Amino acid sequence: MKRLFFFKHYAALIRINGAAALVSARTYSDFTTQATFEIKKCDVYKLDEAPATQVVMTRDEGLQYYRTMQTMRRMELKADQLYKQKIIRGFCHLYDGQEACAVGIEASINLTDHLITAYRAHGYTYTRGGTVKEIMAELTGRRGGIAKGKGGSMHMYCKHFYGGNGIVGAQVPLGAGVALACKYLGKNELCVALYGDGAANQGQIFETYNMAALWKLPAIFICENNRYGMGTSVERAAASTDYYKRGEFIPGLRVDGMDVLCVREATKLAAEHCRSGKGPILMELQTYRYHGHSMSDPGVSYRTRDEIQEVRGKSDPISMLKDRMLSNNMASVEELKEIDVEVRKEIEDATLFATTDPEPPLEDLCNHIFHNSPPTEVRGIHPWSKLKSVS
């Protein structure tokens, strides 16, 4: 005789009198709704307080962080595949390994706050409100892309997100300009300006520190230190690798960027600092990227495969969060696998759209230059008016 028991959550298959029976092992009510975790202490510079080392995470928060990081990871792996198939062309810089940075930052600021980054931007486009479908279609240069197929990997934008910027370090002074607007308009908003360890040596960044400190701008400057610039380790490129102290007169934090909770708590303190009118703050997130600098960089000529695998094994942000949730009875293996399946399906559906959606027509080439107004005449003519798409 077969007996079936259906509950809210997953089920285990057992044998009763030689027949298979489906019996619930756990219900949702069995899970811990929140737990306290001990996290790594941050290094601080010119700060009287430090982020908490004992933090609380709820089950709902953990599931949300897990889903978001898995979506970002799978999206980048799919981008890698499409690039190698020559479906994505041009430049492409992947973010896999660094997901805890984006998710931890977003967990401590508002969507009405502002964010600007460099060209490793697919993940932030997603956390800022873009959809997987829009991001994948932009990567393949299709009309349904988030920038209508005309920006590609390096130039994605959405509300309160100012891109993907291709010029190394140029997004930092732009971010200070956004922070100036926040202060001028008096909306208690802030701007997060992200850059890498390679860009940290750019002169314009130090000029921006100076202005931001003078004007007490609500700016969080974040150096995502993934240990390598374009094929060069930080030790070979910088006389001082204490990036969190580079502001000199700006307080700083050095954070474990592979732990979403560490990033969340540090960003929370940084945001409070900015909103209280104390001016800018500098954060260094110590993170790691699994792919090379770009798709033209195999990423193993200046570091070993063993190093990459060691980071994957010991510090992977998704695995770390998963282990915490399972060991504290905040989720089941089956529940997390179900999320994985849903994420994979979302990525595959988005990929289908990104490979079948039409390319933007040629007559759109010079449109969308101005916001909410038609293109102005250039020397008395519209040079793009003669362009007609033949595809």
Side-chain angles (χ1 to χ4, degrees):
M1 163 181 163
K2 188 182 289 185
R3 290 189 291 175
L4 300 178
F5 299 86
F6 294 100
F7 288 81
K8 291 180 184 176
H9 193 40
Y10 70 95
L13 192 65
I14 63 171
R15 293 268 167 190
I16 298 178
N17 297 329
L22 202 62
V23 181
S24 170
R26 245 193 269 181
T27 68
Y28 282 133
S29 59
D30 292 328
F31 289 120
T32 305
T33 56
Q34 68 177 41
T36 302
F37 300 93
E38 190 77 30
I39 59 172
K40 194 180 293 184
K41 185 179 179 181
C42 295
D43 296 318
V44 298
Y45 174 70
K46 292 195 172 182
L47 280 170
D48 295 329
E49 58 179 330
T53 54
Q54 275 201 333
V55 300
V56 173
M57 180 179 72
T58 67
R59 167 179 150 80
D60 288 344
E61 287 171 341
L63 291 174
Q64 180 190 341
Y65 301 160
Y66 182 82
R67 181 182 291 273
T68 305
M69 288 200 287
Q70 275 289 28
T71 302
M72 292 168 64
R73 175 72 58 88
R74 291 289 164 189
M75 190 165 60
E76 297 294 62
L77 295 179
K78 180 56 71 172
D80 175 58
Q81 181 185 331
L82 293 177
Y83 196 95
K84 288 170 179 171
Q85 293 171 352
K86 297 187 176 179
I87 295 171
I88 295 174
R89 309 302 290 263
F91 293 100
C92 187
H93 303 80
L94 303 180
Y95 198 71
D96 50 319
Q98 299 184 214
E99 296 88 356
C101 298
V103 175
I105 291 166
E106 294 286 14
S108 295
I109 63 173
N110 307 319
L111 275 176
T112 52
D113 289 319
H114 308 266
L115 191 143
I116 187 168
T117 188
Y119 37 71
R120 209 175 296 281
H122 312 155
Y124 286 103
T125 310
Y126 179 69
T127 61
R128 288 273 91 192
T131 66
V132 176
K133 183 184 284 188
E134 289 172 326
I135 294 165
M136 297 304 295
E138 189 60 40
L139 287 169
T140 57
R142 306 303 173 118
R143 195 164 55 191
I146 200 157
K148 301 189 184 299
K150 296 193 287 185
S153 171
M154 297 173 74
H155 302 288
M156 297 189 185
Y157 309 90
C158 55
K159 193 170 185 182
H160 300 137
F161 176 59
Y162 306 89
N165 291 267
I167 300 174
V168 176
Q171 71 277 10
V172 180
L174 292 176
V178 175
L180 176 60
C182 292
K183 183 172 183 176
Y184 181 81
L185 295 171
K187 292 184 177 179
N188 197 30
E189 296 170 355
L190 58 84
C191 182
V192 175
L194 296 122
Y195 55 98
D197 50 274
N201 299 319
Q202 289 282 317
Q204 60 193 318
I205 291 179
F206 295 91
E207 295 172 25
T208 304
Y209 292 162
N210 183 57
M211 294 174 72
L214 278 173
W215 297 343
K216 291 194 180 302
L217 300 183
I220 305 176
F221 299 117
I222 299 183
C223 175
E224 291 182 292
N225 177 7
N226 58 30
R227 294 169 51 178
Y228 297 95
M230 201 170 347
T232 306
S233 67
V234 293
E235 292 81 12
R236 292 176 59 210
S240 169
T241 58
D242 290 335
Y243 295 104
Y244 72 113
K245 295 180 179 179
R246 290 280 194 97
E248 191 177 347
F249 32 74
I250 296 175
L253 292 160
R254 183 160 59 190
V255 185
D256 180 1
M258 302 299 274
D259 184 345
V260 67
L261 295 182
C262 279
V263 179
R264 186 187 75 176
E265 294 307 307
T267 308
K268 191 181 297 181
L269 185 147
E272 289 170 359
H273 178 93
C274 287
R275 294 193 208 280
S276 64
K278 295 177 182 176
I281 190 167
L282 177 55
M283 288 172 59
E284 175 190 344
L285 304 183
Q286 294 185 312
T287 184
Y288 198 85
R289 54 171 165 77
Y290 296 147
H291 273 85
H293 173 78
S294 67
M295 296 305 294
S296 61
D297 169 20
V300 291
S301 57
Y302 49 85
R303 59 181 180 177
T304 64
R305 294 185 190 277
D306 289 343
E307 177 186 301
I308 300 168
Q309 289 308 313
E310 183 180 5
V311 176
R312 281 185 184 274
K314 293 181 179 179
S315 306
D316 183 80
I318 299 176
S319 298
M320 194 185 303
L321 176 63
K322 181 179 180 179
D323 291 345
R324 275 177 172 155
M325 294 191 73
L326 293 176
S327 60
N328 285 273
N329 191 36
M330 299 180 82
S332 68
V333 172
E334 288 77 7
E335 186 177 18
L336 297 180
K337 280 182 179 176
E338 189 178 320
I339 292 173
D340 295 345
V341 170
E342 290 169 358
V343 167
R344 283 195 180 95
K345 185 179 186 309
E346 183 180 12
I347 302 297
E348 290 304 323
D349 290 347
T351 303
L352 179 63
F353 174 76
T355 51
T356 56
D357 189 50
E359 294 180 356
L362 188 59
E363 51 266 30
D364 270 3
L365 182 63
C366 297
N367 290 341
H368 312 111
I369 296 173
F370 303 93
H371 178 64
N372 288 343
S373 62
T376 58
E377 291 192 359
V378 179
R379 295 186 182 177
I381 62 169
H382 289 290
W384 49 86
S385 61
K386 299 174 184 176
L387 301 174
K388 294 295 178 186
S389 179
V390 292
S391 59

